[in-house]
Amino acid sequence: MDSRTEPAEPETEPKTARPPLLRELLLVVGLFLIYKIGRQLAAGHTAEAFRNADRVWDWERTLHLPGEGAVQGALLHSDTLVHVANTYYATVHFPATVAFLIWLYLKRPAHYVWARRVLAVVTGAALVGHLFFPLAPPRLLKAAGLVDTGQAYGPTVYGAHPATDAVANQFAAMPSLHFGWALMVAIGLIAATRSRWRVLWLLHPLVTLLVIVGTANHYWLDAIVAAALLGIALAVIHLPHRTTTTAGRAHERADDSVRDIPELVGAGR
């Protein structure tokens, strides 16, 4: 058979040793605790949080972004749909991210290290944002005219009195880690898998975006800022390169035409 018609050798996961499990558990738990403590330290700036909320609301109108109320209006047509959205907001965010990291750790250790680093950088940057730019969510902003769907329909993860909520800092809307983490989960799974259907993982951040806006927990700008931070982190922390098999590398050396494929060029050098 003409070598030009032979299929390229399949790519394989980079040979990276799986990090020690105990160390990773301590590292992830430690980072999570630091973040939770940091969010609580950022709490209490009620007046500043509402001033910033007015600013964000005005910025969105200046930028002609669609009103958050359009998404919420669609949800409010059905009590069941609102309840499902609230449940998604309350229960999917953290477990989905943990499941993503566990799967990468077991199946794609090189991608796991990459994803964990990206998530740590994005989360750290978000904490800085929460400290220096406290922001009341749209459900608490009178000018927005939106319903606090968590309180009205349930379930909710927040207390009824934001200023005294001991469980969560309700003035940490920007950036939205709900959206930032969901987008990283989708990007990570697309990068780590080879299914022709892997692009469907983008439904997770899309649904998350509609949920966080429709439940009035976040502004559009919260998601935009989170996506920007993630983009910067991905530009700095490089994706692990896949490699071809030994037979594939030999095939590249024998046929210069495959050098038109960038991935095989990098693998064959």
Side-chain angles (χ1 to χ4, degrees):
M1 182 183 295
D2 190 329
S3 63
R4 295 178 184 272
T5 63
E6 292 180 5
E9 291 292 326
E11 293 178 331
T12 60
E13 173 76 5
K15 297 297 183 181
T16 300
R18 186 174 291 112
L21 179 59
L22 180 58
R23 189 193 72 182
E24 289 303 307
L25 287 174
L26 292 175
L27 178 61
V28 172
V29 171
L31 290 172
F32 178 73
L33 290 176
I34 291 172
Y35 174 70
K36 293 294 288 186
I37 293 172
R39 277 177 63 103
Q40 288 303 313
L41 291 175
H45 303 283
T46 304
E48 185 179 359
F50 279 100
R51 285 195 299 270
N52 288 335
D54 287 328
R55 293 189 183 102
V56 169
W57 187 255
D58 291 341
W59 293 341
E60 288 193 339
R61 308 293 75 81
T62 300
L63 294 170
H64 301 290
L65 293 178
E68 287 82 355
V71 180
Q72 184 170 95
L75 288 181
L76 293 178
H77 283 300
S78 167
D79 290 359
T80 300
L81 191 58
V82 176
H83 185 78
V84 169
N86 289 334
T87 302
Y88 192 96
Y89 180 85
T91 63
V92 173
H93 167 58
F94 188 70
T97 307
V98 171
F100 162 69
L101 289 174
I102 291 174
W103 186 84
L104 287 184
Y105 179 84
L106 295 175
K107 300 293 186 179
R108 302 285 190 273
H111 285 80
Y112 163 79
V113 173
W114 164 71
R116 187 247 292 148
R117 289 173 178 168
V118 171
L119 285 171
V121 168
V122 171
T123 304
L127 177 56
V128 173
H130 298 160
L131 286 168
F132 290 96
F133 194 79
L135 178 64
R139 59 186 167 80
L140 299 178
L141 183 64
K142 290 183 179 180
L146 298 173
V147 176
D148 186 341
T149 61
Q151 295 294 336
Y153 297 89
T156 182
V157 295
Y158 301 117
H161 304 288
T164 58
D165 192 343
V167 177
N169 176 14
Q170 297 193 41
F171 300 135
M174 182 181 288
S176 169
L177 284 180
H178 267 75
F179 181 72
W181 286 12
L183 185 57
M184 181 57 203
V185 167
I187 291 173
L189 288 173
I190 290 172
T193 59
R194 282 294 174 262
S195 168
R196 68 179 64 184
W197 303 106
R198 65 188 185 277
V199 69
L200 293 179
W201 285 113
L202 289 172
L203 289 174
H204 176 44
L206 175 60
V207 172
T208 298
L209 177 61
L210 295 177
V211 164
I212 64 176
V213 172
T215 58
N217 282 294
H218 286 283
Y219 306 89
W220 295 112
L221 279 177
D222 297 340
I224 292 172
V225 172
L229 290 176
L230 179 59
I232 294 171
L234 289 172
V236 173
I237 304 171
H238 299 295
L239 177 72
H241 295 291
R242 288 175 175 267
T243 59
T244 57
T245 61
T246 302
R249 288 191 295 270
H251 178 70
E252 290 177 58
R253 289 191 294 268
D255 186 1
D256 288 338
S257 66
V258 298
R259 294 186 182 276
D260 292 333
I261 304 175
E263 292 185 31
L264 293 181
V265 170
R269 288 176 180 172

